[in-house]
Amino acid sequence: MYILVALDGNHEPLLIAFALGTINYDELWVWFMRKLKECLGDSVVVGFISHMSKSIDFAVRRVYLDSYHVYCCKNIVE
């Protein structure tokens, strides 16, 4: 399951989008990121925090060329 969460003005989580798919499938992540970009538009600056999936990293680099992308510290420690 692909889940996109943002923080609102009170720093509370806000569900933005979700989709079902295989976690390590590059083209599905690219599709998800493109749909996100269609909804948000080109002028919105976004950053990503994700687990250490090469598919997510691939999709972010392909669709959001200048975005900020880091890994969740919980996944780095494990």
Side-chain angles (χ1 to χ4, degrees), residues 16-61:
I16 302 294
F18 69 93
L20 297 175
T22 304
I23 193 72
N24 290 319
Y25 189 66
D26 293 352
E27 291 307 313
L28 283 175
W29 274 108
V30 170
W31 172 85
F32 185 73
M33 294 292 177
R34 284 184 178 150
K35 293 297 178 186
L36 173 65
K37 194 168 191 174
E38 282 179 29
C39 292
L40 297 178
D42 289 331
S43 62
V44 175
V45 177
V46 295
F48 296 92
I49 301 173
S50 69
H51 63 78
M52 296 177 73
S53 167
K54 291 180 182 179
S55 295
I56 296 172
D57 192 48
F58 173 79
V60 169
R61 290 175 190 256

Tab-separated table of all heavy atoms in Angstrom, residues 16-61:
chain	number	residue	atom	x	y	z
A	16	ILE	N	-3.156	12.360	2.470
A	16	ILE	CA	-3.291	13.034	1.179
A	16	ILE	C	-3.739	12.051	0.105
A	16	ILE	O	-4.654	12.313	-0.656
A	16	ILE	CB	-1.967	13.695	0.750
A	16	ILE	CG1	-1.490	14.701	1.796
A	16	ILE	CG2	-2.081	14.330	-0.612
A	16	ILE	CD1	-2.373	15.900	1.963
A	17	ALA	N	-3.093	10.898	0.027
A	17	ALA	CA	-3.414	9.927	-1.022
A	17	ALA	C	-2.981	8.542	-0.587
A	17	ALA	O	-2.114	8.380	0.267
A	17	ALA	CB	-2.695	10.302	-2.318
A	18	PHE	N	-3.614	7.536	-1.214
A	18	PHE	CA	-3.170	6.168	-1.010
A	18	PHE	C	-3.484	5.347	-2.255
A	18	PHE	O	-4.355	5.712	-3.049
A	18	PHE	CB	-3.792	5.539	0.241
A	18	PHE	CG	-5.268	5.287	0.125
A	18	PHE	CD1	-5.758	4.064	-0.297
A	18	PHE	CD2	-6.171	6.290	0.445
A	18	PHE	CE1	-7.113	3.838	-0.403
A	18	PHE	CE2	-7.531	6.073	0.346
A	18	PHE	CZ	-8.006	4.846	-0.085
A	19	ALA	N	-2.762	4.266	-2.445
A	19	ALA	CA	-2.972	3.359	-3.571
A	19	ALA	C	-2.491	1.976	-3.157
A	19	ALA	O	-1.720	1.832	-2.211
A	19	ALA	CB	-2.211	3.838	-4.802
A	20	LEU	N	-2.948	0.980	-3.858
A	20	LEU	CA	-2.520	-0.390	-3.597
A	20	LEU	C	-1.550	-0.838	-4.683
A	20	LEU	O	-1.763	-0.553	-5.856
A	20	LEU	CB	-3.724	-1.333	-3.570
A	20	LEU	CG	-4.734	-1.070	-2.468
A	20	LEU	CD1	-5.924	-2.000	-2.634
A	20	LEU	CD2	-4.110	-1.254	-1.105
A	21	GLY	N	-0.499	-1.513	-4.299
A	21	GLY	CA	0.473	-1.994	-5.266
A	21	GLY	C	1.617	-2.710	-4.580
A	21	GLY	O	1.683	-2.764	-3.359
A	22	THR	N	2.518	-3.242	-5.350
A	22	THR	CA	3.696	-3.931	-4.837
A	22	THR	C	4.732	-2.899	-4.414
A	22	THR	O	5.012	-1.956	-5.145
A	22	THR	CB	4.287	-4.845	-5.926
A	22	THR	OG1	3.258	-5.721	-6.358
A	22	THR	CG2	5.452	-5.645	-5.411
A	23	ILE	N	5.310	-3.081	-3.255
A	23	ILE	CA	6.197	-2.081	-2.675
A	23	ILE	C	7.456	-1.835	-3.512
A	23	ILE	O	7.908	-0.719	-3.632
A	23	ILE	CB	6.562	-2.435	-1.215
A	23	ILE	CG1	7.225	-1.254	-0.508
A	23	ILE	CG2	7.479	-3.642	-1.139
A	23	ILE	CD1	6.331	-0.144	-0.183
A	24	ASN	N	8.028	-2.856	-4.100
A	24	ASN	CA	9.290	-2.690	-4.825
A	24	ASN	C	9.088	-2.823	-6.333
A	24	ASN	O	9.752	-3.618	-6.990
A	24	ASN	CB	10.337	-3.691	-4.332
A	24	ASN	CG	10.809	-3.360	-2.943
A	24	ASN	OD1	11.022	-2.204	-2.628
A	24	ASN	ND2	10.952	-4.363	-2.117
A	25	TYR	N	8.196	-2.049	-6.871
A	25	TYR	CA	7.926	-2.071	-8.310
A	25	TYR	C	8.056	-0.646	-8.829
A	25	TYR	O	7.189	0.206	-8.587
A	25	TYR	CB	6.532	-2.647	-8.567
A	25	TYR	CG	6.251	-2.899	-10.026
A	25	TYR	CD1	6.966	-3.859	-10.736
A	25	TYR	CD2	5.275	-2.179	-10.691
A	25	TYR	CE1	6.717	-4.088	-12.072
A	25	TYR	CE2	5.015	-2.407	-12.030
A	25	TYR	CZ	5.729	-3.360	-12.708
A	25	TYR	OH	5.479	-3.583	-14.032
A	26	ASP	N	9.152	-0.363	-9.520
A	26	ASP	CA	9.504	0.997	-9.931
A	26	ASP	C	8.384	1.723	-10.668
A	26	ASP	O	8.052	2.864	-10.340
A	26	ASP	CB	10.746	0.985	-10.821
A	26	ASP	CG	11.999	0.561	-10.084
A	26	ASP	OD1	11.957	0.423	-8.849
A	26	ASP	OD2	13.021	0.368	-10.756
A	27	GLU	N	7.796	1.081	-11.666
A	27	GLU	CA	6.817	1.773	-12.505
A	27	GLU	C	5.544	2.138	-11.753
A	27	GLU	O	4.915	3.153	-12.047
A	27	GLU	CB	6.499	0.950	-13.754
A	27	GLU	CG	7.675	0.877	-14.714
A	27	GLU	CD	8.245	2.252	-15.084
A	27	GLU	OE1	7.473	3.172	-15.410
A	27	GLU	OE2	9.475	2.399	-15.054
A	28	LEU	N	5.145	1.331	-10.763
A	28	LEU	CA	3.971	1.698	-9.965
A	28	LEU	C	4.251	2.917	-9.097
A	28	LEU	O	3.396	3.782	-8.916
A	28	LEU	CB	3.510	0.523	-9.103
A	28	LEU	CG	2.745	-0.564	-9.836
A	28	LEU	CD1	2.449	-1.731	-8.912
A	28	LEU	CD2	1.458	-0.017	-10.431
A	29	TRP	N	5.462	2.987	-8.558
A	29	TRP	CA	5.821	4.166	-7.772
A	29	TRP	C	5.900	5.406	-8.654
A	29	TRP	O	5.494	6.490	-8.243
A	29	TRP	CB	7.138	3.950	-7.026
A	29	TRP	CG	6.924	3.280	-5.715
A	29	TRP	CD1	7.246	1.995	-5.387
A	29	TRP	CD2	6.320	3.849	-4.549
A	29	TRP	NE1	6.878	1.744	-4.093
A	29	TRP	CE2	6.307	2.862	-3.550
A	29	TRP	CE3	5.781	5.092	-4.247
A	29	TRP	CZ2	5.785	3.075	-2.280
A	29	TRP	CZ3	5.262	5.311	-2.974
A	29	TRP	CH2	5.262	4.312	-2.013
A	30	VAL	N	6.403	5.275	-9.860
A	30	VAL	CA	6.447	6.406	-10.795
A	30	VAL	C	5.026	6.857	-11.107
A	30	VAL	O	4.730	8.053	-11.105
A	30	VAL	CB	7.223	6.045	-12.080
A	30	VAL	CG1	7.058	7.121	-13.131
A	30	VAL	CG2	8.695	5.823	-11.765
A	31	TRP	N	4.126	5.914	-11.351
A	31	TRP	CA	2.720	6.243	-11.603
A	31	TRP	C	2.128	7.013	-10.426
A	31	TRP	O	1.468	8.039	-10.601
A	31	TRP	CB	1.921	4.955	-11.853
A	31	TRP	CG	0.449	5.181	-11.928
A	31	TRP	CD1	-0.267	5.558	-13.015
A	31	TRP	CD2	-0.491	5.050	-10.858
A	31	TRP	NE1	-1.592	5.671	-12.692
A	31	TRP	CE2	-1.756	5.357	-11.365
A	31	TRP	CE3	-0.373	4.691	-9.514
A	31	TRP	CZ2	-2.911	5.331	-10.583
A	31	TRP	CZ3	-1.519	4.663	-8.733
A	31	TRP	CH2	-2.758	4.981	-9.261
A	32	PHE	N	2.372	6.516	-9.200
A	32	PHE	CA	1.858	7.163	-7.993
A	32	PHE	C	2.387	8.588	-7.868
A	32	PHE	O	1.633	9.524	-7.598
A	32	PHE	CB	2.236	6.332	-6.765
A	32	PHE	CG	1.671	6.840	-5.474
A	32	PHE	CD1	0.324	6.690	-5.194
A	32	PHE	CD2	2.484	7.443	-4.530
A	32	PHE	CE1	-0.206	7.141	-4.000
A	32	PHE	CE2	1.971	7.899	-3.340
A	32	PHE	CZ	0.618	7.745	-3.057
A	33	MET	N	3.678	8.776	-8.091
A	33	MET	CA	4.287	10.106	-7.996
A	33	MET	C	3.761	11.043	-9.086
A	33	MET	O	3.537	12.230	-8.837
A	33	MET	CB	5.809	10.021	-8.087
A	33	MET	CG	6.453	9.309	-6.942
A	33	MET	SD	6.308	10.230	-5.406
A	33	MET	CE	7.077	9.098	-4.295
A	34	ARG	N	3.542	10.533	-10.280
A	34	ARG	CA	2.991	11.367	-11.363
A	34	ARG	C	1.575	11.808	-11.040
A	34	ARG	O	1.194	12.957	-11.294
A	34	ARG	CB	3.041	10.623	-12.686
A	34	ARG	CG	4.421	10.566	-13.272
A	34	ARG	CD	4.429	9.915	-14.630
A	34	ARG	NE	5.783	9.921	-15.171
A	34	ARG	CZ	6.257	9.010	-15.978
A	34	ARG	NH1	5.496	8.004	-16.385
A	34	ARG	NH2	7.488	9.094	-16.422
A	35	LYS	N	0.763	10.897	-10.491
A	35	LYS	CA	-0.603	11.252	-10.091
A	35	LYS	C	-0.577	12.288	-8.977
A	35	LYS	O	-1.368	13.233	-8.963
A	35	LYS	CB	-1.395	10.014	-9.648
A	35	LYS	CG	-1.676	9.054	-10.761
A	35	LYS	CD	-2.551	9.721	-11.810
A	35	LYS	CE	-2.825	8.802	-12.968
A	35	LYS	NZ	-3.547	9.437	-14.049
A	36	LEU	N	0.335	12.150	-8.061
A	36	LEU	CA	0.498	13.135	-6.993
A	36	LEU	C	0.846	14.497	-7.573
A	36	LEU	O	0.257	15.518	-7.200
A	36	LEU	CB	1.586	12.681	-6.019
A	36	LEU	CG	1.979	13.671	-4.939
A	36	LEU	CD1	0.818	13.927	-4.001
A	36	LEU	CD2	3.189	13.162	-4.182
A	37	LYS	N	1.776	14.512	-8.510
A	37	LYS	CA	2.200	15.769	-9.131
A	37	LYS	C	1.048	16.407	-9.907
A	37	LYS	O	0.895	17.626	-9.911
A	37	LYS	CB	3.403	15.537	-10.035
A	37	LYS	CG	4.105	16.804	-10.438
A	37	LYS	CD	5.443	16.490	-11.073
A	37	LYS	CE	6.245	17.758	-11.213
A	37	LYS	NZ	7.588	17.505	-11.696
A	38	GLU	N	0.222	15.592	-10.574
A	38	GLU	CA	-0.957	16.120	-11.263
A	38	GLU	C	-1.892	16.812	-10.285
A	38	GLU	O	-2.444	17.876	-10.578
A	38	GLU	CB	-1.732	14.987	-11.951
A	38	GLU	CG	-1.156	14.509	-13.240
A	38	GLU	CD	-1.982	13.373	-13.829
A	38	GLU	OE1	-3.212	13.314	-13.592
A	38	GLU	OE2	-1.394	12.528	-14.517
A	39	CYS	N	-2.090	16.206	-9.129
A	39	CYS	CA	-3.005	16.770	-8.122
A	39	CYS	C	-2.448	18.023	-7.465
A	39	CYS	O	-3.172	18.983	-7.242
A	39	CYS	CB	-3.311	15.730	-7.056
A	39	CYS	SG	-4.291	14.357	-7.642
A	40	LEU	N	-1.161	18.016	-7.150
A	40	LEU	CA	-0.550	19.139	-6.435
A	40	LEU	C	-0.125	20.269	-7.362
A	40	LEU	O	-0.054	21.414	-6.937
A	40	LEU	CB	0.659	18.666	-5.631
A	40	LEU	CG	0.395	17.669	-4.509
A	40	LEU	CD1	1.707	17.263	-3.853
A	40	LEU	CD2	-0.580	18.229	-3.498
A	41	GLY	N	0.204	19.937	-8.597
A	41	GLY	CA	0.694	20.942	-9.533
A	41	GLY	C	2.205	21.055	-9.485
A	41	GLY	O	2.872	20.509	-8.607
A	42	ASP	N	2.740	21.791	-10.436
A	42	ASP	CA	4.196	21.932	-10.545
A	42	ASP	C	4.787	22.951	-9.583
A	42	ASP	O	5.972	22.910	-9.284
A	42	ASP	CB	4.580	22.331	-11.973
A	42	ASP	CG	4.386	21.192	-12.958
A	42	ASP	OD1	4.503	20.031	-12.538
A	42	ASP	OD2	4.116	21.470	-14.137
A	43	SER	N	3.978	23.877	-9.101
A	43	SER	CA	4.520	24.963	-8.284
A	43	SER	C	4.670	24.605	-6.812
A	43	SER	O	5.257	25.363	-6.049
A	43	SER	CB	3.630	26.201	-8.421
A	43	SER	OG	2.335	25.910	-7.946
A	44	VAL	N	4.177	23.449	-6.384
A	44	VAL	CA	4.259	23.052	-4.984
A	44	VAL	C	5.612	22.405	-4.710
A	44	VAL	O	6.040	21.501	-5.420
A	44	VAL	CB	3.117	22.059	-4.629
A	44	VAL	CG1	3.259	21.557	-3.212
A	44	VAL	CG2	1.772	22.714	-4.833
A	45	VAL	N	6.284	22.877	-3.674
A	45	VAL	CA	7.563	22.301	-3.258
A	45	VAL	C	7.261	21.171	-2.278
A	45	VAL	O	6.541	21.361	-1.309
A	45	VAL	CB	8.454	23.363	-2.593
A	45	VAL	CG1	9.747	22.750	-2.103
A	45	VAL	CG2	8.720	24.503	-3.560
A	46	VAL	N	7.798	19.990	-2.548
A	46	VAL	CA	7.550	18.835	-1.682
A	46	VAL	C	8.857	18.212	-1.233
A	46	VAL	O	9.890	18.360	-1.869
A	46	VAL	CB	6.685	17.767	-2.396
A	46	VAL	CG1	5.307	18.278	-2.685
A	46	VAL	CG2	7.344	17.273	-3.660
A	47	GLY	N	8.792	17.535	-0.123
A	47	GLY	CA	9.902	16.749	0.385
A	47	GLY	C	9.377	15.383	0.762
A	47	GLY	O	8.200	15.228	1.076
A	48	PHE	N	10.233	14.389	0.721
A	48	PHE	CA	9.814	13.023	0.992
A	48	PHE	C	10.661	12.409	2.087
A	48	PHE	O	11.874	12.547	2.095
A	48	PHE	CB	9.949	12.163	-0.276
A	48	PHE	CG	9.046	12.592	-1.397
A	48	PHE	CD1	9.494	13.491	-2.352
A	48	PHE	CD2	7.760	12.119	-1.475
A	48	PHE	CE1	8.668	13.901	-3.380
A	48	PHE	CE2	6.923	12.518	-2.500
A	48	PHE	CZ	7.376	13.411	-3.454
A	49	ILE	N	10.003	11.703	3.002
A	49	ILE	CA	10.661	10.868	3.999
A	49	ILE	C	10.083	9.478	3.786
A	49	ILE	O	8.872	9.293	3.850
A	49	ILE	CB	10.386	11.348	5.433
A	49	ILE	CG1	10.855	12.780	5.621
A	49	ILE	CG2	11.055	10.403	6.436
A	49	ILE	CD1	10.455	13.379	6.959
A	50	SER	N	10.943	8.506	3.500
A	50	SER	CA	10.450	7.174	3.182
A	50	SER	C	11.334	6.110	3.810
A	50	SER	O	12.403	6.404	4.327
A	50	SER	CB	10.411	6.972	1.665
A	50	SER	OG	11.723	6.921	1.149
A	51	HIS	N	10.851	4.872	3.745
A	51	HIS	CA	11.733	3.776	4.144
A	51	HIS	C	12.716	3.535	3.002
A	51	HIS	O	12.604	4.118	1.932
A	51	HIS	CB	10.950	2.515	4.522
A	51	HIS	CG	10.162	1.916	3.407
A	51	HIS	ND1	10.735	1.164	2.427
A	51	HIS	CD2	8.847	1.966	3.123
A	51	HIS	CE1	9.815	0.757	1.595
A	51	HIS	NE2	8.648	1.237	1.979
A	52	MET	N	13.671	2.693	3.215
A	52	MET	CA	14.780	2.541	2.272
A	52	MET	C	14.404	1.633	1.103
A	52	MET	O	14.938	0.547	0.949
A	52	MET	CB	16.007	2.018	3.001
A	52	MET	CG	16.515	2.987	4.045
A	52	MET	SD	17.896	2.375	4.996
A	52	MET	CE	19.192	2.458	3.794
A	53	SER	N	13.524	2.096	0.256
A	53	SER	CA	13.108	1.354	-0.932
A	53	SER	C	13.744	1.992	-2.159
A	53	SER	O	13.594	3.197	-2.391
A	53	SER	CB	11.587	1.382	-1.059
A	53	SER	OG	11.192	0.937	-2.329
A	54	LYS	N	14.429	1.195	-2.939
A	54	LYS	CA	15.046	1.712	-4.161
A	54	LYS	C	13.983	2.175	-5.153
A	54	LYS	O	14.211	3.092	-5.924
A	54	LYS	CB	15.940	0.652	-4.788
A	54	LYS	CG	17.174	0.366	-3.975
A	54	LYS	CD	18.051	-0.681	-4.623
A	54	LYS	CE	19.252	-0.961	-3.746
A	54	LYS	NZ	20.118	-1.971	-4.322
A	55	SER	N	12.800	1.555	-5.123
A	55	SER	CA	11.715	1.945	-6.031
A	55	SER	C	11.195	3.340	-5.719
A	55	SER	O	10.908	4.122	-6.617
A	55	SER	CB	10.578	0.930	-5.975
A	55	SER	OG	10.998	-0.317	-6.459
A	56	ILE	N	11.076	3.663	-4.430
A	56	ILE	CA	10.631	5.001	-4.048
A	56	ILE	C	11.679	6.022	-4.458
A	56	ILE	O	11.354	7.066	-5.029
A	56	ILE	CB	10.343	5.084	-2.537
A	56	ILE	CG1	9.172	4.171	-2.164
A	56	ILE	CG2	10.044	6.522	-2.126
A	56	ILE	CD1	8.947	4.045	-0.675
A	57	ASP	N	12.920	5.736	-4.170
A	57	ASP	CA	14.001	6.644	-4.541
A	57	ASP	C	14.029	6.866	-6.050
A	57	ASP	O	14.154	8.002	-6.521
A	57	ASP	CB	15.338	6.079	-4.055
A	57	ASP	CG	16.455	7.084	-4.135
A	57	ASP	OD1	16.257	8.218	-3.670
A	57	ASP	OD2	17.520	6.736	-4.668
A	58	PHE	N	13.877	5.798	-6.825
A	58	PHE	CA	13.840	5.884	-8.281
A	58	PHE	C	12.697	6.800	-8.745
A	58	PHE	O	12.887	7.671	-9.585
A	58	PHE	CB	13.673	4.478	-8.870
A	58	PHE	CG	13.455	4.456	-10.353
A	58	PHE	CD1	14.528	4.599	-11.219
A	58	PHE	CD2	12.185	4.294	-10.881
A	58	PHE	CE1	14.330	4.570	-12.596
A	58	PHE	CE2	11.980	4.265	-12.248
A	58	PHE	CZ	13.046	4.408	-13.110
A	59	ALA	N	11.505	6.606	-8.181
A	59	ALA	CA	10.341	7.389	-8.594
A	59	ALA	C	10.480	8.863	-8.221
A	59	ALA	O	10.149	9.743	-9.016
A	59	ALA	CB	9.075	6.809	-7.982
A	60	VAL	N	10.983	9.140	-7.037
A	60	VAL	CA	11.170	10.532	-6.617
A	60	VAL	C	12.164	11.219	-7.542
A	60	VAL	O	11.921	12.335	-8.013
A	60	VAL	CB	11.638	10.611	-5.143
A	60	VAL	CG1	12.087	12.016	-4.795
A	60	VAL	CG2	10.532	10.153	-4.209
A	61	ARG	N	13.262	10.576	-7.838
A	61	ARG	CA	14.280	11.178	-8.720
A	61	ARG	C	13.765	11.371	-10.146
A	61	ARG	O	14.184	12.284	-10.833
A	61	ARG	CB	15.539	10.318	-8.742
A	61	ARG	CG	16.301	10.350	-7.451
A	61	ARG	CD	17.466	9.371	-7.516
A	61	ARG	NE	18.075	9.185	-6.241
A	61	ARG	CZ	19.236	9.736	-5.892
A	61	ARG	NH1	19.877	10.506	-6.728
A	61	ARG	NH2	19.735	9.521	-4.703
